[in-house]
Amino acid sequence: MATKEDNYKYLSGFGSEFVSEDPRCPGALPEGQNSPQKCPYGLYAEQLSGSAFTAPRAENRRTWLYRIRPSVGHGPYTKFPKGFLTHDWDEQEPDPNQMRWRPFDLPKTPDVDFVEGLHTICGAGDPKMKSGLAIHIYSCSISMENRAFYNADGDLLIVPQVGPLDIKTEFGLMKVHPNQICVIQQGMRFSVAVNEASRGYILEVFGQHFQLPDLGPIGANGLANPRDFLTPTAYYEDMQNTSYQIVSKYQGGMFACNQDHSPFDVVAWHGNYVPYKYDLSKFQVINSVSFDHCDPSIFTVLTCQSEKKGTAIADFVIFPPRWSVQEHTFRPPYYHRNCMSEFMGLIHGAYEAKKDGFAPGGATLHSIMTPHGPDAKCFDFGSSEVLKPARVADNTQAFMFESCLGLAVTKWGLKTCQKLEEDYYKCWGDLKSHFTGMKL
């Protein structure tokens, strides 16, 4: 797939207005109004809405697309094989055990594209009610040829782990490498091309949108800076009289229709509802410089809030390279029981609290109120290390999808993938009593 460097940035935060036109068609953006009687170059005007028309101005999301053919020009939808993509959260009995998966398989055959390689691990909620989330793995070996995909159920936050993704969208082109992320928002059509067998993680939120977390006492600067989020530049292809398949994820099901032209025929666009990408190495870490721990929420890159203030349907949290300087403190992550569900993945390196067993391309799930924390080896080191300023997590990038919802694991996640470690609980088996007080 041809690529073109993205160069439009979030200059003043989410909600900003963006303007872009393909340089091959200067003046393609209408002046003065969104939908003139006749658009320049004989284009069609089409609005893509990501919020209710009547949403408050600060929350209203929409973009005007000026395209060669309107997206309505397609045949009827029919069922599309959905493989291991599911939102049936009752197909397995609830299981509160700590879970860890070995690295998920890359495709065993050379003919699996991004859509065909989607596998659901866990989730909760109902896309019909626009509430909840799902966590998927993608594993693909070939590019999507004359096929586009869109998600009618919600936003997709994509975390590549093996192999870069060339993503063609209605808004333009994005190249997303491991240690970068991208968000394709609800309803946006896209296609994924790969040059090698590729694998990664996906966080899907139903009917809501990701946003930057509030900074509170941190102040104006810190965490993910708005200017580091990149949106693509308009780039169109004029492919007529061809066979193109559009795959839709709708109410948890998969459907497909055919059309005789490329869906990536947008010559110009303007609005505040766009796909975007972000380089995790640009995250500005905030941390303790005295003693004890700040909560892991200080590592939040993006959040999707529930109706309960300060409680997330989903947070995307990273654990990047940083300095650790706390005094009189057990520096590794503390032992913990949480009212949130914590799903962790590893992009590369070795996670600081479990340097053995937790491998890149694998995952862990620690469910609501199920205890977890460092293994015995990490505890012994953290209890005896000389506390001087030290680098943490160099050459490593772990992340967490955290949610207030109780996540149900699918049959594929528990059984079919055959990657679940049955003896994960044993990593805490060597934790011994060091009690020195009076024994009763």
Side-chain angles (χ1 to χ4, degrees), residues 269-333:
W269 56 266
H270 75 86
N272 62 357
Y273 190 53
V274 295
Y276 53 91
K277 76 172 190 176
Y278 176 73
D279 187 335
L280 300 181
S281 69
K282 296 183 181 296
F283 187 82
Q284 183 183 340
V285 178
I286 303 293
N287 212 344
S288 172
V289 295
S290 55
F291 59 87
D292 275 347
H293 288 264
C294 299
D295 291 322
S297 51
I298 60 169
F299 300 117
T300 301
V301 179
L302 292 169
T303 184
C304 177
Q305 290 290 298
S306 71
E307 294 181 358
K308 184 176 181 181
K309 187 177 180 179
T311 303
I313 292 174
D315 282 333
F316 174 61
V317 179
I318 64 173
F319 302 101
R322 60 197 183 277
W323 283 96
S324 184
V325 300
Q326 305 101 309
E327 300 174 318
H328 313 296
T329 299
F330 179 74
R331 288 181 177 177

Side-chain angles (χ1 to χ4, degrees), residues 175-386:
K175 193 176 187 71
V176 187
H177 294 268
N179 214 50
Q180 297 178 341
I181 62 167
C182 71
V183 173
I184 310 293
Q185 302 198 73
Q186 183 181 13
M188 296 177 179
R189 297 180 176 188
F190 68 100
S191 182
V192 176
V194 296
N195 295 316
E196 59 184 290
S198 301
R199 176 180 62 202
Y201 310 84
I202 298 177
L203 172 59
E204 177 188 9
V205 291
F206 305 147
Q208 304 293 328
H209 298 298
F210 290 102
Q211 62 190 53
L212 291 171
D214 291 331
L215 293 179
I218 292 174
N221 303 293
L223 310 187
N225 290 310
R227 67 188 179 96
D228 293 324
F229 288 82
L230 304 181
T231 70
T233 302
Y235 180 82
Y236 74 90
E237 59 183 24
D238 185 7
M239 294 173 57
Q240 306 285 340
N241 301 315
T242 187
S243 177
Y244 225 105
Q245 184 182 56
I246 309 297
V247 180
S248 169
K249 179 177 174 294
Y250 175 74
Q251 295 187 6
M254 297 285 275
F255 303 85
C257 64
N258 294 309
Q259 61 185 49
D260 62 0
H261 61 281
S262 168
F264 305 114
D265 62 353
V266 177
V267 179
W269 56 266
H270 75 86
N272 62 357
Y273 190 53
V274 295
Y276 53 91
K277 76 172 190 176
Y278 176 73
D279 187 335
L280 300 181
S281 69
K282 296 183 181 296
F283 187 82
Q284 183 183 340
V285 178
I286 303 293
N287 212 344
S288 172
V289 295
S290 55
F291 59 87
D292 275 347
H293 288 264
C294 299
D295 291 322
S297 51
I298 60 169
F299 300 117
T300 301
V301 179
L302 292 169
T303 184
C304 177
Q305 290 290 298
S306 71
E307 294 181 358
K308 184 176 181 181
K309 187 177 180 179
T311 303
I313 292 174
D315 282 333
F316 174 61
V317 179
I318 64 173
F319 302 101
R322 60 197 183 277
W323 283 96
S324 184
V325 300
Q326 305 101 309
E327 300 174 318
H328 313 296
T329 299
F330 179 74
R331 288 181 177 177
Y334 45 80
Y335 293 100
H336 190 45
R337 291 179 292 163
N338 195 355
C339 63
M340 308 282 277
S341 300
E342 300 180 14
F343 178 94
M344 285 192 64
L346 186 59
I347 299 172
H348 61 85
Y351 177 54
E352 59 202 84
K354 291 187 181 67
K355 294 187 177 181
D356 299 320
F358 186 27
T364 64
L365 175 63
H366 300 129
S367 297
I368 291 174
M369 290 304 173
T370 294
H372 53 281
D375 56 23
K377 184 177 179 180
C378 181
F379 174 82
D380 291 341
F381 174 79
S383 301
S384 59
E385 67 174 318
V386 177

Side-chain angles (χ1 to χ4, degrees), residues 40-79:
Y41 294 96
L43 299 172
Y44 289 86
E46 178 179 292
Q47 182 175 254
L48 177 63
S49 296
S51 64
F53 296 142
T54 53
R57 179 181 289 267
E59 302 169 14
N60 205 302
R61 299 192 183 190
R62 64 90 179 94
T63 289
W64 280 93
L65 308 172
Y66 301 95
R67 60 193 319 149
I68 298 172
R69 297 270 296 273
S71 60
V72 71
H74 62 77
Y77 286 100
T78 57
K79 275 285 190 179

Side-chain angles (χ1 to χ4, degrees), residues 401-412:
F401 299 150
E402 185 174 65
S403 174
C404 66
L405 305 178
L407 301 183
V409 182
T410 64
K411 181 180 179 181
W412 183 86

Side-chain angles (χ1 to χ4, degrees), residues 109-123:
T109 60
D111 57 351
V112 179
D113 70 15
F114 179 86
V115 173
E116 296 164 338
L118 293 172
H119 300 76
T120 307
I121 303 174
C122 58

